[in-house]
Every structure is written in C-alpha cells, then in structure tokens.
Amino acid sequence: MTAAAPSAAGWATLNSLFPSGTNARVDIYRQVLAGTTATSQFSTVALASGRPGVEFGTAVIPYANLAFDKQWMIKIDHKIRDADLLSGRYSDDSDPSSPTSVSYPGMNTNFNGKTRNTVVSETHIFSPTITNELRLGYNRIDVSFPNDATNPLGQTLVAYSIAGLPAANITTVGVSSSFPQGRLANNYVLQDTVSVVRGRHTFRAGFDILDQRSRQFAPINIRGSVTFNASTGFTGLANYIDDFGGSGGSVAKTYGSNRYYPTIVRQQYFLTDRWRFSNDLTVSLGIRYENPGTALNSLIYPAYTGLFNVNPTTLAGPWNQPN
C-alpha cells in the first residue's frame, strides 16, 4: 500500500522549520504518520512566505491482511412418536477481517461480522392425508466497522485532507470520519404450512411472518472532516500548516447520535391447489398475499420537525411522537 509522506530530506526540513511544540498541525502530522518516510516519486511542495519547499514522495506501507470465516452447525432430529417429528438446527458464522481500512501506522481499523441462525420445526401427522409443519426461526446479523485504531489520536482526530500531495492509496490524515458504524438485526420468524390431499387435489395453505428489530449505527461524519486546498501563492500543505482552508476549503461535521432502532413486520399468506387433472397434465393454482410492512423508527424523535410544532390542544408534537 502506498502513502503520501515527506522524504528523509522533507522531514528534516519540517523539523527545522517547526520544532516539536511550535505548530499544532505539524505535530499532528508527525504523530499520525509515525515515521512514515517516502522512498520514491519525489517532488517538492512549496510552503511560500519565504519558507523552503518540503520534499514529498510515496512510501510503501506493508501490512498483514487477515481474513477468517469460521462456520459450524448442529442439527438434531427427534421422533417424539409416529405422528410427531421434531427437528432443530443452529448455525454460526464468524468472519472478522483485519484490517478493513488501511491507513498510516496505528490508524488501521478492522471489521467484525457474525451471523447466528436457529430454527425449530415440528411436523404433525393428523391422518394419512393431513399434515402440518410449524417452524420457529431466529436469525441475528451483527456487522460492525469499529474505530479501533491503536494510535489513541485516531479516536478523536478529525479527518484531514490536504490537496496537492503526491497521488497514493493513503493521503487522509486520520481515520475515516464515518467510523465507527455498523448494524445489528434480530429476525424472528413464525411459519406454518398445512397440507391436505383430497383425491386428485393436494391443497397447501400457510403463512410466514417476520418481525425484524434492528439497531443501526449510521455512517455519518461523526468526528468531522477538514479539507485544505491551495490558494493564490500557497499550496494545500502550506495552508494546512498555517491553518487556512484555502480556495474552496471546507469543514464538515454531522451532529447528533448515529444510533437508531428501525423495526418492521412482514406478512405473507398463501393457498395452493396442485390438481392432477390427468396422468399427463397437472395444474397448479394458487393465491398469495404479501405485506412487506412499513419501517418504523422506534426513537420518539428521530427527525427534528420544529420545537414549537406542538398541537395546542393535545400537546402532542415532535418531543413525544415518532415521525
């Protein structure tokens, strides 16, 4: 992985111009790059104001890319009696990877993913022509992109972008401002199907109901980001050192919590008739109804609709009503 960084000569220039403790931005740059030094593709980035230019280039950052996918499953079948069959299954899938986001030393972050699934089904034989299968299921999906950078500065530092540095895979100073993020979904499923055979007809009817309850950590600009662009006579690096945004420079941050709790209930019902019309022709007829549900945020006020938007009679408003 390549990264934009000063060369050995460039570091010497920065250290002589801005000894430790004399410029907050240069001190941050030292801490984030943690000694990363360019070894190829050199060029000089001007600082203006009578200051010498700084030699930059690209550095190669080696890293171990580890990915795991551990899966296991247990399945049990039990015959309660001739008319009742019980079956159960549990499966587990864990697939963490490290790193998922590559940056300067100590600024890498990882990925955690885990899926669990369990189902219990009971088949009851009422008669040679009538059977029923009941299924109870549970599925849990847990995916997270934590901000687990080993450099403590990565937990609080805004993400700095400096225009005009050499092109490389890594140029942003700090951890992506959208971390941490992730999502967790708990899915509860109830299914039932009854089968009835009458002469040449095989009837099947049933339903499938899913109740999903989630917890989301949305990818918002939670720690903030700052972009330093070039301006007349000054490069992006010079403006970063001088703490000036430059032409079109920007500061952005999303306020509030990135946590919310959506829920949804999905319903499906069906009735089918498999009609053996003759030895050479079978006709399948059926009707199905599906309602995918309407997502609801369980937070009382997930969206701001105005502090004074309150019903004067009921006193209901954004402070106590979901929207």
Side-chain angles (χ1 to χ4, degrees):
M1 190 68 69
T2 60
S7 66
W11 279 120
T13 302
L14 282 175
N15 292 335
S16 64
L17 290 173
F18 309 101
S20 180
T22 61
N23 186 288
R25 270 76 58 199
V26 176
D27 288 346
I28 289 173
Y29 202 67
R30 289 192 189 97
Q31 293 178 61
V32 172
L33 268 65
T36 302
T37 303
T39 57
S40 64
Q41 298 178 304
F42 301 117
S43 61
T44 299
V45 180
L47 295 185
S49 297
R51 300 172 294 195
V54 179
E55 186 177 65
F56 265 76
T58 57
V60 176
I61 299 181
Y63 66 96
N65 189 4
L66 304 177
F68 302 91
D69 193 353
K70 182 179 180 181
Q71 302 178 4
W72 58 275
M73 183 179 72
I74 296 175
K75 188 175 187 301
I76 298 176
D77 296 307
H78 175 60
K79 183 177 181 181
I80 301 174
R81 54 179 180 267
D82 289 344
D84 288 287
L85 306 175
L86 184 66
S87 179
R89 183 191 73 238
Y90 175 82
S91 62
D92 189 288
D93 185 358
S94 178
D95 57 343
S97 63
S98 172
T100 187
S101 175
V102 181
S103 187
Y104 292 104
M107 293 289 177
N108 293 346
T109 59
N110 302 313
F111 165 80
N112 296 313
K114 194 171 185 65
T115 302
R116 302 178 181 92
N117 179 276
T118 185
V119 62
V120 176
S121 64
E122 199 275 340
T123 301
H124 180 72
I125 303 173
F126 289 95
S127 71
T129 60
I130 302 176
T131 60
N132 186 84
E133 182 183 12
L134 175 67
R135 293 165 60 91
L136 301 174
Y138 170 71
N139 174 260
R140 181 182 178 94
I141 303 171
D142 190 355
V143 176
S144 64
F145 298 84
N147 180 2
D148 53 0
T150 57
N151 186 334
L153 197 61
Q155 308 299 321
T156 57
L157 185 67
V158 301
Y160 290 108
S161 297
I162 305 173
L165 298 184
N169 301 117
I170 304 169
T171 57
T172 300
V173 180
V175 176
S176 170
S177 60
S178 66
F179 291 164
Q181 59 175 273
R183 52 197 173 275
L184 183 149
N186 292 299
N187 300 292
Y188 305 90
V189 179
L190 173 63
Q191 301 170 327
D192 190 82
T193 301
V194 60
S195 301
V196 179
V197 178
R198 287 289 184 269
R200 292 178 175 268
H201 295 269
T202 300
F203 300 99
R204 289 171 61 83
F207 61 83
D208 182 344
I209 299 176
L210 166 69
D211 182 3
Q212 183 180 85
R213 304 180 184 184
S214 302
R215 182 180 66 194
Q216 306 278 2
F217 294 89
I220 66 175
N221 191 350
I222 193 168
R223 290 188 313 283
S225 57
V226 181
T227 299
F228 291 92
N229 287 334
S231 58
T232 303
F234 291 85
T235 61
L237 178 65
N239 284 330
Y240 168 76
I241 291 173
D242 297 336
D243 199 19
F244 178 71
S247 178
S250 63
V251 177
K253 178 179 174 63
T254 304
Y255 290 90
S257 174
N258 67 336
R259 178 182 298 186
Y260 63 104
Y261 299 84
T263 64
I264 196 168
V265 176
R266 184 195 70 196
Q267 304 176 63
Q268 302 178 84
Y269 305 90
F270 71 93
L271 172 64
T272 64
D273 175 14
R274 185 174 174 85
W275 178 20
R276 188 182 174 195
F277 186 78
S278 68
N279 292 337
D280 301 320
L281 177 63
T282 299
V283 179
S284 294
L285 305 172
I287 186 171
R288 184 178 185 87
Y289 171 78
E290 294 188 11
N291 186 334
T294 301
L296 171 69
N297 194 332
S298 61
L299 290 182
I300 294 177
Y301 40 84
Y304 177 69
T305 59
L307 179 62
F308 301 104
N309 186 19
V310 177
N311 187 306
T313 303
T314 65
L315 300 182
W319 66 277
N320 72 343
Q321 301 245 326
N323 51 39

